[in-house]
Coordinates of all heavy atoms in Angstrom, one line a residue:
L1 N 28.9 194.3 173.0 CA 30.3 194.3 172.7 C 30.8 195.6 172.1 O 31.8 195.6 171.4 CB 30.7 193.1 171.7 CG 30.8 191.8 172.3 CD1 31.1 190.7 171.3 CD2 31.9 191.7 173.4
F2 N 30.1 196.7 172.3 CA 30.5 198.0 171.8 C 31.9 198.3 172.1 O 32.7 198.8 171.3 CB 29.6 199.1 172.2 CG 30.1 200.5 171.8 CD1 30.0 200.9 170.5 CD2 30.7 201.3 172.8 CE1 30.5 202.2 170.2 CE2 31.2 202.5 172.5 CZ 31.1 203.0 171.1
F3 N 32.3 198.1 173.4 CA 33.6 198.6 173.9 C 34.7 197.6 173.4 O 35.9 197.8 173.7 CB 33.6 198.8 175.4 CG 32.8 200.0 175.8 CD1 31.6 199.8 176.3 CD2 33.3 201.3 175.6 CE1 30.8 201.0 176.7 CE2 32.6 202.4 176.0 CZ 31.3 202.2 176.5
G4 N 34.4 196.6 172.7 CA 35.4 195.7 172.0 C 35.4 195.9 170.5 O 36.0 195.1 169.8
A5 N 34.7 197.0 170.0 CA 34.6 197.1 168.6 C 35.9 197.3 167.9 O 36.1 196.7 166.8 CB 33.7 198.4 168.3
A6 N 36.9 197.9 168.5 CA 38.2 198.1 167.8 C 38.8 196.8 167.6 O 39.5 196.6 166.5 CB 39.1 199.0 168.7
D7 N 38.6 195.8 168.4 CA 39.2 194.5 168.2 C 38.3 193.7 167.2 O 38.9 193.0 166.3 CB 39.2 193.7 169.5 CG 40.2 194.3 170.5 OD1 41.3 194.7 170.1 OD2 39.9 194.4 171.7
M8 N 37.0 193.8 167.4 CA 36.1 192.9 166.5 C 36.2 193.3 165.1 O 36.0 192.5 164.2 CB 34.7 193.0 167.0 CG 34.5 192.3 168.4 SD 32.7 192.3 168.8 CE 32.0 191.3 167.5
L9 N 36.5 194.6 164.8 CA 36.5 195.1 163.4 C 37.9 195.0 162.8 O 38.1 195.4 161.7 CB 36.0 196.5 163.4 CG 34.6 196.7 163.8 CD1 34.2 198.2 163.8 CD2 33.6 196.0 162.9
A10 N 38.9 194.4 163.6 CA 40.2 194.3 163.1 C 40.7 192.9 163.1 O 40.2 192.1 164.0 CB 41.2 195.2 163.9
D11 N 41.6 192.5 162.2 CA 42.1 191.1 162.3 C 43.1 191.1 163.5 O 43.7 192.1 163.9 CB 42.9 190.9 161.0 CG 41.9 190.7 159.8 OD1 40.8 190.3 160.1 OD2 42.3 190.9 158.7
P12 N 43.3 189.8 164.1 CA 42.7 188.6 163.6 C 41.3 188.3 164.2 O 40.6 187.4 163.9 CB 43.6 187.5 164.2 CG 44.1 188.1 165.5 CD 44.2 189.6 165.2
F13 N 40.8 189.2 165.1 CA 39.5 189.0 165.7 C 38.4 189.0 164.7 O 37.4 188.2 164.9 CB 39.3 190.0 166.8 CG 40.4 190.0 167.9 CD1 41.4 191.0 167.9 CD2 40.4 189.0 168.8 CE1 42.4 190.9 168.8 CE2 41.4 189.0 169.8 CZ 42.4 189.9 169.8
R14 N 38.4 189.9 163.8 CA 37.3 190.0 162.8 C 37.2 188.6 162.1 O 36.1 188.1 161.9 CB 37.6 191.1 161.8 CG 36.5 191.2 160.7 CD 36.7 192.3 159.8 NE 35.7 192.4 158.7 CZ 34.5 192.9 158.8 NH1 34.2 193.5 159.9 NH2 33.7 192.9 157.7
R15 N 38.3 188.0 161.7 CA 38.2 186.7 161.0 C 37.6 185.7 161.9 O 36.8 184.8 161.5 CB 39.6 186.3 160.5 CG 40.2 187.2 159.4 CD 41.4 186.5 158.7 NE 42.4 186.1 159.7 CZ 43.4 186.9 160.0 NH1 43.5 188.1 159.6 NH2 44.4 186.4 160.8
Q16 N 38.0 185.7 163.2 CA 37.5 184.7 164.1 C 36.0 184.8 164.3 O 35.3 183.8 164.3 CB 38.2 184.9 165.5 CG 39.7 184.5 165.4 CD 40.5 185.1 166.5 OE1 39.9 185.7 167.5 NE2 41.8 185.1 166.5
Y17 N 35.6 186.1 164.5 CA 34.1 186.3 164.7 C 33.3 185.9 163.4 O 32.2 185.4 163.5 CB 33.8 187.7 165.1 CG 33.9 187.8 166.6 CD1 35.1 188.2 167.2 CD2 32.9 187.5 167.5 CE1 35.2 188.3 168.6 CE2 33.0 187.6 168.8 CZ 34.1 188.0 169.4 OH 34.3 188.1 170.8
L18 N 33.9 186.2 162.3 CA 33.2 185.9 161.0 C 33.1 184.4 160.9 O 32.0 183.8 160.5 CB 33.9 186.5 159.8 CG 33.7 188.0 159.7 CD1 34.6 188.5 158.5 CD2 32.3 188.4 159.5
R19 N 34.1 183.6 161.3 CA 34.1 182.2 161.2 C 33.0 181.6 162.2 O 32.3 180.7 161.9 CB 35.4 181.6 161.5 CG 36.4 181.6 160.3 CD 37.6 180.7 160.5 NE 38.4 181.2 161.6 CZ 39.5 181.9 161.4 NH1 39.9 182.3 160.2 NH2 40.2 182.2 162.4
Y20 N 33.1 182.2 163.4 CA 32.2 181.8 164.5 C 30.7 182.0 164.1 O 29.8 181.2 164.2 CB 32.5 182.5 165.8 CG 31.5 182.4 166.9 CD1 31.4 181.2 167.6 CD2 30.6 183.4 167.2 CE1 30.5 181.0 168.6 CE2 29.6 183.2 168.2 CZ 29.6 182.0 168.9 OH 28.6 181.9 169.9
L21 N 30.5 183.2 163.6 CA 29.1 183.6 163.2 C 28.7 182.9 161.9 O 27.5 182.8 161.6 CB 29.0 185.1 163.0 CG 29.1 185.9 164.3 CD1 29.2 187.4 163.9 CD2 28.0 185.7 165.2
G22 N 29.6 182.4 161.1 CA 29.3 181.7 159.9 C 28.5 180.4 160.1 O 27.8 180.0 159.2
R23 N 28.5 179.9 161.3 CA 27.7 178.8 161.6 C 26.2 179.1 161.8 O 25.4 178.3 161.8 CB 28.2 178.1 162.9 CG 29.6 177.5 162.8 CD 29.9 176.6 163.9 NE 30.0 177.3 165.2 CZ 31.1 177.7 165.7 NH1 32.3 177.6 165.1 NH2 31.1 178.3 166.9
N24 N 26.0 180.4 161.9 CA 24.6 180.9 162.0 C 24.4 182.0 161.0 O 24.7 183.1 161.3 CB 24.3 181.4 163.4 CG 22.9 181.8 163.6 OD1 22.2 182.2 162.7 ND2 22.4 181.7 164.8
P25 N 23.9 181.7 159.8 CA 23.9 182.7 158.7 C 23.1 183.9 159.2 O 23.4 185.1 158.8 CB 23.2 182.0 157.6 CG 23.5 180.5 157.9 CD 23.5 180.4 159.3
A26 N 22.0 183.8 160.0 CA 21.2 185.0 160.4 C 22.1 185.9 161.2 O 22.1 187.1 161.0 CB 20.0 184.5 161.1
Q27 N 22.8 185.3 162.2 CA 23.7 186.2 163.0 C 24.8 186.8 162.1 O 25.2 188.0 162.4 CB 24.3 185.4 164.1 CG 23.3 185.1 165.2 CD 24.0 184.5 166.5 OE1 25.2 184.6 166.6 NE2 23.3 184.0 167.4
L28 N 25.3 186.1 161.2 CA 26.4 186.6 160.3 C 25.8 187.8 159.5 O 26.5 188.8 159.4 CB 26.9 185.5 159.4 CG 27.9 186.0 158.3 CD1 29.1 186.5 159.0 CD2 28.3 184.8 157.4
R29 N 24.6 187.7 159.0 CA 24.1 188.8 158.3 C 23.9 190.0 159.2 O 24.2 191.2 158.8 CB 22.7 188.4 157.6 CG 22.8 187.5 156.4 CD 21.5 187.5 155.7 NE 20.5 186.9 156.5 CZ 20.2 185.6 156.6 NH1 21.0 184.7 155.9 NH2 19.2 185.1 157.3
R30 N 23.5 189.8 160.4 CA 23.3 190.9 161.4 C 24.6 191.6 161.7 O 24.8 192.8 161.8 CB 22.6 190.5 162.7 CG 21.1 190.2 162.5 CD 20.4 190.1 163.8 NE 20.8 189.0 164.6 CZ 20.2 187.8 164.5 NH1 19.2 187.6 163.7 NH2 20.7 186.8 165.3
F31 N 25.7 190.7 161.8 CA 27.0 191.3 162.1 C 27.5 192.1 160.9 O 28.0 193.2 161.1 CB 28.0 190.1 162.3 CG 29.4 190.6 162.6 CD1 29.8 191.0 163.8 CD2 30.3 190.6 161.5 CE1 31.1 191.4 164.0 CE2 31.6 191.0 161.7 CZ 32.0 191.4 163.0
L32 N 27.3 191.6 159.7 CA 27.8 192.3 158.6 C 27.0 193.6 158.4 O 27.5 194.7 158.0 CB 27.7 191.5 157.3 CG 28.7 190.3 157.3 CD1 28.4 189.4 156.1 CD2 30.1 190.8 157.2
D33 N 25.7 193.5 158.6 CA 24.9 194.7 158.6 C 25.3 195.8 159.5 O 25.4 197.0 159.2 CB 23.4 194.4 158.9 CG 22.7 193.7 157.7 OD1 23.3 193.8 156.6 OD2 21.6 193.2 157.9
D34 N 25.7 195.4 160.7 CA 26.1 196.3 161.8 C 27.4 197.0 161.4 O 27.6 198.2 161.5 CB 26.3 195.6 163.1 CG 26.4 196.5 164.3 OD1 26.1 197.7 164.1 OD2 26.7 196.1 165.4
T35 N 28.4 196.2 160.9 CA 29.7 196.8 160.6 C 29.7 197.6 159.3 O 30.4 198.6 159.2 CB 30.8 195.7 160.5 OG1 30.4 194.8 159.4 CG2 31.0 194.9 161.8
D36 N 28.8 197.2 158.4 CA 28.8 197.9 157.1 C 27.8 199.0 157.0 O 28.0 200.0 156.4 CB 28.7 196.9 156.0 CG 29.8 195.9 155.9 OD1 30.9 196.3 156.3 OD2 29.7 194.8 155.3
N37 N 26.6 198.7 157.6 CA 25.5 199.6 157.4 C 24.9 200.2 158.7 O 23.9 200.8 158.7 CB 24.3 198.8 156.6 CG 24.8 198.3 155.3 OD1 25.5 199.1 154.6 ND2 24.5 197.1 155.0
R38 N 25.5 199.8 159.8 CA 25.1 200.3 161.1 C 23.6 200.0 161.4 O 22.9 200.8 162.0 CB 25.2 201.9 161.1 CG 26.7 202.3 160.8 CD 26.8 203.8 160.8 NE 26.7 204.3 162.2 CZ 27.1 205.6 162.5 NH1 27.6 206.3 161.6 NH2 27.0 206.0 163.7
R39 N 23.3 198.7 161.2 CA 21.9 198.3 161.5 C 21.9 197.0 162.3 O 20.9 196.3 162.3 CB 21.1 198.1 160.2 CG 20.8 199.3 159.4 CD 19.7 199.1 158.4 NE 20.0 197.9 157.5 CZ 20.6 198.0 156.4 NH1 21.1 199.1 155.9 NH2 20.8 196.9 155.7
G40 N 23.0 196.6 162.9 CA 23.0 195.3 163.6 C 22.1 195.2 164.7 O 21.7 196.2 165.3
K41 N 21.7 194.0 165.1 CA 20.7 193.8 166.1 C 21.3 193.1 167.3 O 20.7 193.1 168.4 CB 19.5 193.0 165.6 CG 18.7 193.8 164.6 CD 17.4 193.1 164.2 CE 16.6 194.0 163.3 NZ 15.3 193.3 162.9
R42 N 22.5 192.5 167.2 CA 23.1 191.8 168.3 C 24.4 192.6 168.7 O 24.5 193.2 169.7 CB 23.4 190.4 168.0 CG 24.2 189.7 169.2 CD 24.3 188.2 169.1 NE 25.1 187.8 170.2 CZ 25.3 186.5 170.5 NH1 24.7 185.6 169.7 NH2 26.0 186.1 171.5

């Protein structure tokens, strides 16, 4: 999803993806790692 980053990192899409990923804590941590620390795996 690199070419959708501008949407994924901005509301309302960011909120939607965080809610979606919240059902899977491991994926949520990877997402947050990627956006904040540039270490995401998905």
Side-chain angles (χ1 to χ4, degrees):
L1 282 177
F2 170 77
F3 290 103
D7 295 318
M8 290 186 65
L9 297 176
D11 288 334
F13 301 102
R14 180 179 174 86
R15 294 197 304 271
Q16 293 159 12
Y17 273 94
L18 288 176
R19 281 195 294 263
Y20 171 76
L21 293 172
R23 294 194 294 267
N24 184 330
Q27 284 192 14
L28 177 58
R29 284 193 298 273
R30 286 196 293 269
F31 177 84
L32 292 173
D33 283 346
D34 195 11
T35 57
D36 295 336
N37 301 316
R38 306 179 68 166
R39 292 197 308 270
K41 294 189 177 178
R42 173 167 178 174

